[in-house]
């Protein structure tokens, strides 16, 4: 029969085993907690770095967009200044000749000073009732004159109705762009929309992107900027007068 000493020894061994198991459990638990905490810290650190990087990228993108916007605005402002000068030449003279228009555009030195501007053109407003006589007059003046619509692919769908005014390119410079003379632009819905808004507002209007077919058969995206010219020489105050006095 085991005595008290043997019982106490067994009890101590049992307590040691329990403490040992508990100590191992606590060690594993603490290791798990530490790993979990480290994982959380790493996650939030990575998330913070990712967020910071995304914000930095967004800031750089916004700055690039703003620089591009300012550059485009500056370029557009130059074009507006040129167009206003062209309008001023029509306002100062009752009749601008082709030679005068050519001299004016040549003086601007577009290729050297304004390479983004392909041409400066005067689009004349021609009432529907005057179109036939206008074509005859221009054909007599310009041997190679050819009246045609801006969208020849489907003339039956794009030809303006007989009662609507026509808007025909009458002057075009430099020399390489004179082939545009005779082009009726009201048949192009985007051009017509821009011209209408310009005429009603008295201010310049930029078109939506236009697909320009070049002489070599290629195509490129361009924009047209329309500034209205009125018979009065200035922008009339009343909308009715702007519509009545619009020359082109």
């Amino acid at each position: 029969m085991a005595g008290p000493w043997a019982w106490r020894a067994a009890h101590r061994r049992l307590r040691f085993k329990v403490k040992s198991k508990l100590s191992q459990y606590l060690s594993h638990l603490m290791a798990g907690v530490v790993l979990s905490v480290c994982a959380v810290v790493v996650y939030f650190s990575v998330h913070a770095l990712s967020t910071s990087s995304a914000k930095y990228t967004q800031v750089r993108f916004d700055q690039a967009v703003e620089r591009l916007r300012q550059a485009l605005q500056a370029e557009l402002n130059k074009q507006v200044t040129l167009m206003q000068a062209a309008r001023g030449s029509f306002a100062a003279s009752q009749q601008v000749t082709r030679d005068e228009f050519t001299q004016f555009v040549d003086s601007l030195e577009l290729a050297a000073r304004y390479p983004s501007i392909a041409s400066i053109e005067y689009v004349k407003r021609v009432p529907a009732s005057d179109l036939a006589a206008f074509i005859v007059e221009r054909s007599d003046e310009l041997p190679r004159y050819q009246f045609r619509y801006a969208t020849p692919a489907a003339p039956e769908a794009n030809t303006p109705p007989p009662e609507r005014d026509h808007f025909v390119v009458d002057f075009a410079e430099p020399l390489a762009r004179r082939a545009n003379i005779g082009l009726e632009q009201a048949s192009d819905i985007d051009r017509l929309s821009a011209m209408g808004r310009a005429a009603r507002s008295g201010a310049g209007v930029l078109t939506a992107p236009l697909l320009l077919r070049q002489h070599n058969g290629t195509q490129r995206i361009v924009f047209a900027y329309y500034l209205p010219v009125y018979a009065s020489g200035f922008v009339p105050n009343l909308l009715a007068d702007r519509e009545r006095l619009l020359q082109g």
Side-chain angles (χ1 to χ4, degrees), residues 59-69:
V59 169
R60 291 288 300 272
F61 176 77
D62 292 342
Q63 291 174 343
V65 170
E66 179 60 21
R67 287 195 297 269
L68 179 60
R69 187 196 67 79

Side-chain angles (χ1 to χ4, degrees), residues 207-218:
T207 66
L210 303 171
L211 189 62
L212 178 65
R213 184 177 292 102
Q214 303 184 99
H215 300 300
N216 59 7
T218 61

Side-chain angles (χ1 to χ4, degrees), residues 23-99:
S23 177
Q24 291 178 2
Y25 174 75
L26 291 175
S27 297
H28 292 160
L29 180 62
M30 289 300 297
V33 170
V34 170
L35 288 175
S36 298
V37 171
C38 290
V40 171
V41 171
V42 169
Y43 168 77
F44 281 106
S45 298
V46 172
H47 180 71
L49 289 173
S50 177
T51 302
S52 177
S53 177
K55 289 182 178 179
Y56 177 73
T57 302
Q58 184 64 44
V59 169
R60 291 288 300 272
F61 176 77
D62 292 342
Q63 291 174 343
V65 170
E66 179 60 21
R67 287 195 297 269
L68 179 60
R69 187 196 67 79
Q70 291 178 0
L72 291 175
Q73 186 63 54
E75 188 64 31
L76 182 58
N77 289 341
K78 289 194 298 184
Q79 296 190 25
V80 170
T81 301
L82 291 182
M83 295 295 290
Q84 289 174 337
R87 180 166 67 177
S89 67
F90 281 90
S93 176
Q94 292 295 325
Q95 182 67 39
V96 177
T97 66
R98 295 192 184 279
D99 288 341

Side-chain angles (χ1 to χ4, degrees), residues 149-218:
Y149 292 101
T151 51
E156 68 281 356
N158 295 296
T159 301
E163 69 276 6
R164 193 171 75 187
D165 292 341
H166 297 267
F167 290 86
V168 187
V169 177
D170 204 22
F171 296 163
E173 295 291 338
L175 178 62
R177 299 296 173 180
R178 291 182 188 173
N180 292 339
I181 294 175
L183 188 66
E184 205 286 336
Q185 299 197 351
S187 57
D188 186 309
I189 188 62
D190 292 323
R191 295 177 184 270
L192 178 61
S193 174
M195 287 189 290
R197 285 180 284 137
R200 291 188 296 272
S201 67
V205 172
L206 190 68
T207 66
L210 303 171
L211 189 62
L212 178 65
R213 184 177 292 102
Q214 303 184 99
H215 300 300
N216 59 7
T218 61

